[in-house]
């Protein structure tokens, strides 16, 4: 019996093992980086006299041809190779013959893949930084136009104190600015070249690692060959940074969704960024914001996945580390898409200023200011708090705002109130009086806006 299917079983198993092991379906993503790394390696080998000048020229033009052909769609990255490294090398040998067989001198796939992933990630970090910068520009534009757009500020999702739209947007400016500074830090730490580390213990060839590092625009070579092939910290850091970006975008999305609802009507999402319902004709749904909020989990998943993959790996390279790619690529693409779409949505979103202002008026957001009014006239704060509390209760019964009460009604609760109470609790006064650094008062806000303009203009300590 066994004989009957034994041969076939072995064959099937081999195929499965091969597929299980292969990474070409996803590491094809960094073919350009793989070729770029190989070119630097070959230039260095020739400089060190390990390859002849002719061999170098042949290999370089062969690699260049492969790059151009793949770019142009003339050469397909075939699944019959195990990984992108084998594909490039085999294609090179096919095309240029003997010299191609020397490409892998003094190199292992372990330092090769470590390099490719770093080169790829480095570009991604820059791209994400650029996208965040665009988002910040949109935020700054909204801020500049809305230093006097009053709205309620919330705590516990209850109207708390009046703020301005500029102030609210400024909070997000701070978040995304911090995100950019995290990317900068990661870049500074990761930008060292692992090439030349070999499988784990360096090589016996007289490689010039500083030269390859320089050709590939790294700050220098890494300093421990075992760590070089086993380090994926920078990916974990990047995924953590992307997770934080997504968390910020998700919170922002949540607010956009609320503000776009019929109950708030603070904003109107542009038609281009909303969708309809197949059954309810009245609906205009904030799908983009919901999807951004929803996709946050995917990026967190990638971070958790890689942390878990890495936690039990002994030095140096182990095949587990091949798992650093799929989720990471997905997280990078997801985050980039989300930032870009969110930016577009924000840029085209209409803010309904009257609705915001009305909402700030009708939620007792000026109650603290009414209490402060009394304090400024000698009433102890605790008593002032009680007096205004009574007035609020009275207003709720009358379905009125503090601004609507007559002076008699005020004085019936406390004789300290005078005609100037109305001015003291107007939204404009409430906001304008808040002029400490970081507060919503227009003067304070203008100073912050100037700082943000400088920040976006001169790119010190940022990547873009
Ligand atoms: N596909 C592998 C990875 O992504 C490349 C390195 C293979 N190295 C090895 N010793 N099998 O990690």
């Amino acid at each position: 019996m066994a004989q009957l299917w034994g041969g076939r079983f072995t064959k099937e198993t081999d195929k499965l093992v091969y597929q299980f092991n292969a990474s070409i379906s996803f590491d094809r993503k960094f073919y350009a980086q793989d070729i770029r790394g190989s070119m630097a390696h070959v230039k260095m080998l020739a400089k060190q006299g390990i390859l002849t000048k002719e061999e170098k020229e042949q290999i370089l033009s062969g690699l260049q041809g492969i790059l151009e052909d793949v770019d142009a769609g003339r050469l397909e990255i075939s699944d019959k190779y195990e990984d992108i490294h084998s594909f490039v090398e085999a294609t090179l040998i096919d095309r240029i013959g003997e010299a191609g067989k020397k490409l892998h001198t003094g190199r292992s796939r372990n330092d090769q893949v470590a390099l490719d992933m770093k080169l790829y990630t480095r570009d991604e970090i820059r791209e994400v930084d650029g996208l965040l910068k665009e988002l910040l520009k949109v935020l700054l534009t909204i801020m500049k136009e809305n230093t006097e757009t009053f709205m309620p500020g919330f705590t516990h999702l209850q109207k708390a104190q009046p703020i301005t739209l500029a102030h609210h947007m400024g909070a997000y400016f701070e978040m995304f600015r911090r995100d950019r500074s995290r990317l900068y830090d990661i870049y500074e730490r990761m930008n060292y070249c692992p090439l030349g580390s070999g499988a784990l213990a360096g090589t016996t060839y007289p490689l010039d690692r500083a030269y390859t590092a320089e050709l590939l625009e790294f700050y220098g070579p890494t300093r421990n060959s075992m760590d070089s092939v086993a380090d994926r910290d920078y990916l974990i850091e990047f995924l953590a940074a992307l997770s934080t970006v997504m968390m910020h975008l998700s919170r922002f999305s949540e607010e956009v969704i609320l503000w776009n609802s019929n109950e708030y009507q603070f904003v109107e999402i542009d038609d281009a960024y909303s969708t309809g319902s197949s059954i309810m004709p009245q609906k205009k749904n904030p799908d983009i914001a919901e999807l951004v909020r929803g996709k946050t989990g995917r990026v967190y998943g990638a971070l958790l996945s890689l942390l878990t993959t890495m936690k039990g790996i002994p030095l140096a390279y182990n095949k587990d580390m091949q798992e650093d790619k799929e989720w990471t690529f997905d997280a990078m693409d997801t985050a980039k898409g989300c930032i870009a779409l969110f930016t577009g949505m924000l840029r085209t979103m209409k803010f309904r200023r009257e609705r915001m202002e009305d909402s700030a008026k009708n939620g007792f957001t000026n109650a603290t200011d009414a209490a402060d009014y009394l304090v400024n006239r000698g009433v102890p704060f605790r008593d002032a708090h009680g007096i205004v509390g009574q007035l609020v209760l009275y207003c709720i019964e009358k379905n009125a705002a503090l601004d609507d009460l007559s002076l008699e009604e005020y004085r019936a609760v406390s004789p300290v109130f005078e005609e100037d109470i109305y001015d003291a609790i107007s939204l404009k006064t409430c906001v304008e009086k808040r002029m400490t650094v970081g507060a919503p008062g227009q003067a304070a806000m203008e100073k912050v806006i100037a700082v943000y303009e400088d920040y976006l203009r001169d790119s010190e300590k940022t990547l873009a």
Side-chain angles (χ1 to χ4, degrees), residues 149-273:
T149 305
F150 304 118
M151 65 180 287
F154 297 85
T155 63
H156 313 273
L157 206 54
Q158 311 273 330
K159 291 179 194 175
Q161 288 173 345
I163 53 159
T164 64
L165 180 58
H167 193 234
H168 200 114
M169 292 297 118
Y172 285 106
F173 194 103
E174 284 292 316
M175 293 181 229
F176 295 118
R177 194 187 55 82
R178 284 198 295 274
D179 286 330
R180 290 188 76 201
S181 83
R182 263 185 280 278
L183 295 179
Y184 177 83
D185 293 345
I186 296 167
Y187 193 96
E188 288 295 294
R189 227 180 341 273
M190 63 91 79
N191 196 27
Y192 293 88
C193 185
L195 194 60
S197 298
L200 77 163
T203 75
T204 54
Y205 297 95
L207 305 187
D208 184 347
R209 293 195 56 213
Y211 182 62
T212 30
E214 195 189 312
L215 288 177
L216 295 165
E217 292 166 273
F218 284 102
Y219 297 147
T222 50
R223 276 189 294 268
N224 181 295
S225 60
M226 290 183 80
D227 178 56
S228 304
V229 294
D231 167 37
R232 297 294 183 271
D233 289 6
Y234 67 99
L235 291 179
I236 290 169
E237 288 187 45
F238 187 34
L239 289 171
L242 290 181
S243 294
T244 308
V245 170
M246 290 302 297
M247 179 269 289
H248 292 152
L249 281 178
S250 185
R251 293 179 71 175
F252 207 164
S253 294
E254 171 71 13
E255 298 211 290
V256 168
I257 293 162
L258 281 173
W259 292 0
N260 184 64
S261 70
N262 209 31
E263 282 67 25
Y264 279 76
Q265 295 179 27
F266 281 8
V267 299
E268 199 180 322
I269 300 176
D270 194 77
D271 278 2
Y273 288 90

Side-chain angles (χ1 to χ4, degrees), residues 21-24 26-27 30 82-85 108-114 199 232 317-325:
N21 202 37
S23 52
I24 187 105
F26 46 88
D27 60 20
F30 49 54
E82 180 191 338
D83 53 31
I84 191 66
H85 325 295
S108 152
R109 273 189 300 174
N110 296 353
D111 59 343
Q112 189 177 358
V113 80
R232 297 294 183 271
Y317 177 84
N318 294 259
K319 194 63 179 252
D320 318 39
M321 291 167 73
Q322 180 166 291
E323 288 297 311
D324 67 349
K325 294 178 193 63

Side-chain angles (χ1 to χ4, degrees), residues 29-48:
K29 208 165 166 85
F30 49 54
Y31 71 90
Q33 285 79 5
D34 191 75
I35 292 173
R36 184 176 175 206
S38 289
M39 286 175 151
H41 183 62
V42 163
K43 286 180 194 163
M44 181 276 294
L45 290 178
K47 174 176 156 302
Q48 299 302 93

